[in-house]
Amino acid sequence: MTTISVNTAPARSERAAAPTVSIAGVAWPVHKAAAVLTALVVAVVVGVITGSGEVTAWAVTVAATAVWWSGRLGATLRATSR
């Protein structure tokens, strides 16, 4: 048997826009740009100190992910506290 289901809830909740910075004419959220810059710095520092590609890759991944998500969480909390 076929039934019709009506969903009145919005398909997606509205999120507050994160602060952006213009890079080559494209608006990037600040937390993403900070994560990329952090990853570059960590890659150079850890790569020089350890000389290990595996350790460098893990350190870059952990650092970039931590900066990305903490920045996004901070932007979300700032937007909801207004």
Side-chain angles (χ1 to χ4, degrees):
M1 173 180 248
T2 304
T3 60
I4 297 174
S5 176
V6 178
N7 185 4
T8 59
R12 195 173 168 166
S13 64
E14 293 295 322
R15 282 198 288 197
T20 60
V21 61
S22 179
I23 299 175
V26 178
W28 274 49
V30 173
H31 67 278
K32 289 182 181 183
V36 170
L37 290 175
T38 301
L40 290 172
V41 170
V42 168
V44 170
V45 170
V46 174
V48 167
I49 291 173
T50 66
S52 168
E54 184 177 359
V55 173
T56 301
W58 277 106
V60 165
T61 302
V62 169
T65 303
V67 170
W68 184 305
W69 282 109
S70 63
R72 180 64 192 149
L73 178 61
T76 302
L77 291 176
R78 282 189 299 273
T80 57
S81 67
R82 292 181 186 173

